[in-house]
């Protein structure tokens, strides 16, 4: 009897300590993450007016229905999906190739790794400004293109080019981050696999394709999912590139930029913006699930 | 032997070409920040300024009163935010790894779930919550919602699970309280994990663009990314100023990276990959 009471007292104390240690997290996540998720769902079913106080009017699924008749929502979704479809595979392949090259046991690896990593450290705002400076009409990139005899572009002002200019910049900026993840994984591949392949007469490319790539599959899956989640949320670059309006001619309008505009730039559309945000979360969620399914099926053989 | 050398050379060529691709934008920005406006508009390719000048830096620090203020705001938010994150994420990670209390499992699951929620969902309600608290356009409005981070709570939990228990037990026998054990034994031994966390959290706060864009409205409260963006609008064709400001913005992160490089790589393999 005494023993069990003592025991429960200890348990009680440990529980108290547990909650004390967790308190800042429970408070912050509760007030600024969990609460807001429920609040966002509520907002998405309402018409929200921000004049003076905040007023809500329940409109059911109206906001979600509106997405289908909103021309700019469709453009932004198209831009975003195009962006994801190009950037995710490109940065993944580039990251893998860079990691494999860096892992070949050459001297000066450390130097290259530090250099490659610079863009990952630098803020998106700074990178965007540097690239806007280089993308200038007679900026560095056009000058270089001229020297080698290639056509030059109006990178920032041409609606057919602007989004691609952001793509190039972001592939360049994000690939090194995933390269480091690949590098860590490459170090775990047993050397004996390569030795066995060498005995069988495999060349470097065959070794890469038949040992390295399959071995890295789980990591690739992770890199692709992280890439999908990240690219769907493109905002800073589009915002700075276009001065906030998604131009020229809506060509750099992404879903998140549109959500921002509806929530904070135009009045009376905050509920609709919340609906768009929830729709985006669902799209990202579905995309990652599809990726995983696809990955599993592929690994069956 | 010859083919081996050829392969090596090829690899070096690939590595060097990509190093150039990585470095050119930075070098171009750096050299532009030391050029005169006249040389900038001429648009000739030269990485070495004709008339090396520090005027651009002088302009942003001396004539632009707000620039030092933006720097200060970024430092305040970055440093305080990082310190709170280190403390609270570690406390939570420790509790989730070591202490038994009802609801522990569900809390852990909630933290995992939070990792998957895109911030766009919460940003509109957060704006309204901060507005009703009167926290818009303040330091605490920027810091408090970001003072914990699910990714690093998770990382710290993984770290503490593999942490030897014996030390803590002997400290408890010596009469140290739970808090004493945590602050005097556990935290000092968690330095590598804390260092990795510090770099990532500080960088995220320092580089953040969207949250300050929504929360901060008066130019005196701007952080560097916002300030830089408004700078661009104001000095639309003064790329020499914009590049100088960009360089000032980037330097602190580079310095931190140079010092903590090894933790950095470790941190990425902590959070990502495996």
């Amino acid at each position: 009897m005494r023993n069990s009471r003592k025991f429960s007292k200890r348990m009680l104390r440990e529980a108290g300590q547990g909650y004390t240690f967790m308190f800042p997290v429970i408070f912050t996540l509760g007030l600024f993450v969990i609460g807001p998720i429920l609040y966002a769902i509520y907002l998405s079913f309402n018409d929200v007016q921000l004049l003076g106080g905040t007023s809500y009017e329940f409109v059911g699924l109206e906001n979600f229905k509106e997405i289908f008749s909103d021309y700019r929502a469709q453009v932004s979704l198209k831009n975003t999906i195009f962006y994801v479809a190009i950037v995710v595979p490109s940065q993944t392949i580039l990251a893998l190739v860079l990691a494999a090259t860096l892992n070949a046991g050459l001297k000066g690896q450390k130097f290259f790794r530090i250099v490659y990593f610079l863009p990952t450290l630098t803020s998106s705002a700074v990178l965007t400004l540097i690239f806007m400076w280089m993308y200038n009409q007679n900026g560095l990139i056009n000058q270089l293109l001229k020297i080698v005899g290639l056509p030059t572009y109006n990178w920032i002002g041409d609606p057919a080019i602007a989004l691609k200019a952001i793509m190039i910049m972001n592939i360049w900026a994000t690939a090194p981050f995933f390269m480091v993840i690949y590098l860590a994984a490459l170090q775990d591949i047993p050397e004996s696999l390569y030795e066995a392949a060498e005995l069988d007469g495999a060349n470097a490319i065959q070794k890469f394709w038949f040992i390295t790539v399959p071995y890295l599959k789980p990591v690739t899956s992770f890199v692709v999912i992280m890439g999908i989640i990240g690219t769907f949320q493109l905002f800073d670059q589009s915002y700075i590139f276009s001065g906030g309006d998604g131009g020229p001619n809506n060509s750099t309008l992404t879903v998140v930029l549109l959500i921002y505009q509806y929530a904070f730039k135009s009045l009376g559309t905050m509920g609709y913006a919340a609906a768009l945000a929830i729709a985006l979360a669902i799209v990202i969620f579905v995309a990652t699930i599809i990726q995983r399914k696809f990955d599993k099926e592929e690994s069956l053989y | 032997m010859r083919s081996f050398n050829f392969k090596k050379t090829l690899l070096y060529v690939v590595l060097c070409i990509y190093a150039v691709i990585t470095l050119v934008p930075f070098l171009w920005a750096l050299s532009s920040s030391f050029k005169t406006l006249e040389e900038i508009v001429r648009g000739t390719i030269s990485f070495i300024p004709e008339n090396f000048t520090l005027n651009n830096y002088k302009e942003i620090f001396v004539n632009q009163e707000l620039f030092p203020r933006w720097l200060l705001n970024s430092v305040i938010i970055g440093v305080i935010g990082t310190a709170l994150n280190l403390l609270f994420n570690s406390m939570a990670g420790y509790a989730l790894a070591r202490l038994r209390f009802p609801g522990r499992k569900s809390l852990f699951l909630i933290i995992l779930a939070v990792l998957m929620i895109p911030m766009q969902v919460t940003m509109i309600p957060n704006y309204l919550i901060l507005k009703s608290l009167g926290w818009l356009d303040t330091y605490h409005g920027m810091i408090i919602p970001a003072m914990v981070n699910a990714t690093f709570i998770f990382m710290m939990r993984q770290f503490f699970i593999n942490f030897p228990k014996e030390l803590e037990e002997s400290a408890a026998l010596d009469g140290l309280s739970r808090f004493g054990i945590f602050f005097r034994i556990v935290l000092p031994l968690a330095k590598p994990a804390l260092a990795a966390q510090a770099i990532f959290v500080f960088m995220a706060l320092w580089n953040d663009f969207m949250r300050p864009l929504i929360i901060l409205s008066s130019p005196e409260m701007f952080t560097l990314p916002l300030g830089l963006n408004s700078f661009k609008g104001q000095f639309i064709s003064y790329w020499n100023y914009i590049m100088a400001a960009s360089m000032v913005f980037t330097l602190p992160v580079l310095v931190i990276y140079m010092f903590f490089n090894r933790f950095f790589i470790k941190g990425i393999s902590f959070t990502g990959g495996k």
Side-chain angles (χ1 to χ4, degrees):
Chain A
M1 180 67 196
R2 262 192 73 189
N3 234 340
S4 83
R5 245 178 88 185
K6 222 173 138 191
F7 182 60
S8 75
K9 216 175 168 184
R10 223 191 82 189
M11 271 171 53
L12 217 63
R13 202 178 61 204
E14 194 165 327
Q17 290 163 346
Y19 289 123
T20 313
F21 272 73
M22 292 296 297
F23 175 73
V25 169
I26 295 172
F27 168 79
T28 315
L29 289 188
L31 186 57
F32 295 107
V33 182
I34 314 289
I37 292 171
L38 303 174
Y39 196 179
I41 296 170
Y42 173 74
L43 288 174
S44 69
F45 292 115
N46 280 274
D47 201 20
V48 184
Q49 291 298 340
L50 275 183
L51 298 168
T54 315
S55 69
Y56 309 95
E57 186 202 336
F58 186 77
V59 293
L61 287 169
E62 269 323 297
N63 288 328
F64 289 96
K65 277 190 209 147
E66 201 180 323
I67 296 174
F68 295 96
S69 56
D70 180 357
Y71 167 73
R72 298 190 81 215
Q74 277 144 34
V75 172
S76 73
L77 186 65
K78 212 186 82 207
N79 287 341
T80 307
I81 289 177
F82 178 52
Y83 179 85
V84 174
I86 302 290
V87 172
V88 172
S90 314
Q91 74 189 11
T92 307
I93 292 167
L94 181 59
L96 179 57
V97 171
L98 285 177
T101 318
L102 259 185
N103 200 43
L106 299 173
K107 271 182 201 154
Q109 262 197 49
K110 219 175 179 175
F111 165 78
F112 287 114
R113 200 159 67 179
I114 290 176
V115 168
Y116 291 176
F117 213 65
L118 282 177
T120 308
L121 302 168
T122 314
S123 93
S124 53
V126 167
L127 289 181
T128 310
L129 289 176
I130 292 179
F131 270 78
M132 284 180 79
W133 169 223
M134 295 198 307
Y135 279 141
N136 235 4
Q137 282 277 28
N138 67 342
L140 183 68
I141 290 179
N142 277 345
Q143 301 263 5
L144 290 175
L145 289 175
K146 236 184 262 165
I147 290 176
V148 292
L150 288 170
T152 61
Y153 298 97
N154 181 358
W155 295 95
I156 297 168
D158 182 349
I161 303 292
L163 188 63
K164 290 170 190 136
I166 297 178
M167 285 178 180
I168 294 171
M169 170 177 100
N170 273 13
I171 292 166
W172 173 88
T174 323
F177 177 77
F178 293 126
M179 174 198 81
V180 176
I181 293 175
Y182 271 130
L183 262 179
L186 277 172
Q187 261 132 43
D188 292 344
I189 303 183
E191 196 52 42
S192 57
L193 280 178
Y194 291 110
E195 280 158 15
E198 227 158 275
L199 286 178
D200 291 340
N203 63 29
I205 291 170
Q206 282 169 327
K207 276 189 283 180
F208 177 74
W209 194 246
F210 292 110
I211 297 173
T212 313
V213 172
Y215 202 91
L216 291 178
K217 202 143 201 198
V219 184
T220 302
S221 175
F222 174 81
V223 167
V224 170
I225 287 180
M226 294 300 287
I228 290 174
I229 294 173
T231 45
F232 261 115
Q233 299 185 36
L234 177 69
F235 174 79
D236 303 4
Q237 293 84 340
S238 299
Y239 182 94
I240 298 170
F241 213 77
S242 66
D245 64 6
N249 195 18
N250 290 337
S251 62
T252 60
L253 186 67
T254 63
V255 175
V256 181
L257 182 52
L258 189 70
I259 293 171
Y260 172 82
Q261 290 178 351
Y262 278 132
F264 303 108
K265 288 292 139 194
S266 47
L267 289 172
T269 46
M270 205 171 234
Y272 177 54
L276 271 174
I278 286 170
L280 174 70
I282 294 170
V283 169
I284 294 177
F285 190 64
V286 169
T288 55
I289 286 178
I290 291 173
Q291 200 284 333
R292 280 181 109 154
K293 266 249 163 67
F294 183 70
D295 217 50
K296 270 200 193 113
E297 255 154 49
E298 232 191 4
S299 59
L300 278 178
Y301 58 85
Chain B
M1 189 66 207
R2 258 184 84 184
S3 76
F4 180 67
N5 273 337
F6 171 74
K7 199 182 106 189
K8 239 183 168 173
T9 318
L10 187 73
L11 286 175
Y12 270 120
V13 170
V14 173
L15 287 178
C16 288
I17 289 175
Y18 201 76
V20 170
I21 293 175
T22 307
L23 280 176
V24 159
F26 291 102
L27 294 177
W28 187 241
L30 187 67
S31 90
S32 304
S33 75
F34 293 118
K35 285 178 181 169
T36 58
L37 182 65
E38 180 209 7
E39 190 179 348
I40 285 257
V41 283
R42 217 185 308 140
T44 40
I45 301 181
S46 156
F47 281 84
I48 297 165
E50 243 166 52
N51 303 306
F52 183 90
T53 171
L54 288 173
N55 264 343
N56 305 324
Y57 289 91
K58 207 180 121 196
E59 166 70 26
I60 58 171
F61 274 108
V62 180
N63 298 343
Q64 293 298 313
E65 290 151 29
L66 281 179
F67 189 80
R69 178 71 198 258
W70 298 335
L71 193 62
L72 180 72
N73 292 342
S74 275
V75 169
I76 290 173
I77 292 168
V79 170
I80 298 178
T82 306
L84 292 177
N85 262 282
L86 288 184
L87 180 64
F88 295 153
N89 295 341
S90 311
M91 280 166 60
Y94 180 77
L96 289 172
R98 275 284 196 278
L99 303 173
R100 321 268 130 208
F101 55 92
R104 183 177 73 136
K105 278 222 173 91
S106 351
L107 270 174
F108 183 59
L109 287 178
I110 289 174
I111 286 163
L112 285 182
V114 162
L115 284 175
M116 289 172 228
I117 305 291
M119 72 93 67
Q120 288 78 34
V121 172
T122 54
M123 89 192 175
I124 299 168
N126 265 336
Y127 171 84
L128 294 174
I129 291 168
L130 291 174
K131 187 174 171 232
S132 60
L133 289 171
W135 289 5
L136 287 178
D137 211 23
T138 62
Y139 291 129
H140 48 282
M142 278 295 297
I143 293 170
I144 291 174
M147 66 184 180
V148 304
N149 183 314
T151 312
F152 294 103
I153 298 169
F154 179 68
M155 180 183 116
M156 291 315 282
R157 177 189 175 268
Q158 302 309 93
F159 182 84
F160 287 130
I161 274 184
N162 300 317
F163 200 71
K165 248 188 182 139
E166 295 74 24
L167 266 173
E168 290 172 58
E169 277 159 6
S170 65
L173 285 178
D174 286 345
L176 225 55
S177 70
R178 179 66 73 180
F179 292 93
I181 293 172
F182 179 72
F183 284 105
R184 292 168 62 177
I185 313 276
V186 174
L187 269 193
L189 287 170
K191 263 185 204 146
L194 291 177
Q197 193 187 155
I199 299 166
F200 280 102
V201 172
F202 180 80
M203 263 183 47
L205 290 169
W206 184 261
N207 293 338
D208 196 3
F209 182 74
M210 194 176 201
R211 256 172 18 93
L213 182 70
I214 294 166
I215 297 173
L216 306 174
S217 52
S218 51
E220 306 81 58
M221 287 303 297
F222 279 5
T223 53
L224 274 176
L226 283 193
L228 210 59
N229 187 53
S230 73
F231 211 61
K232 185 199 110 204
Q234 190 187 342
F235 290 109
I236 207 130
S237 45
Y238 288 81
W239 284 100
N240 47 341
Y241 297 159
I242 299 171
M243 286 303 114
S246 299
M247 291 298 102
V248 174
F249 186 177
T250 310
L251 194 67
V253 183
L254 284 189
V255 171
I256 292 172
Y257 176 63
M258 293 299 166
F259 276 111
F260 293 105
N261 181 17
R262 62 206 167 102
F263 298 117
F264 206 88
I265 304 293
K266 211 181 269 165
I268 290 186
S269 28
F270 260 131
T271 44
K274 309 173 213 176

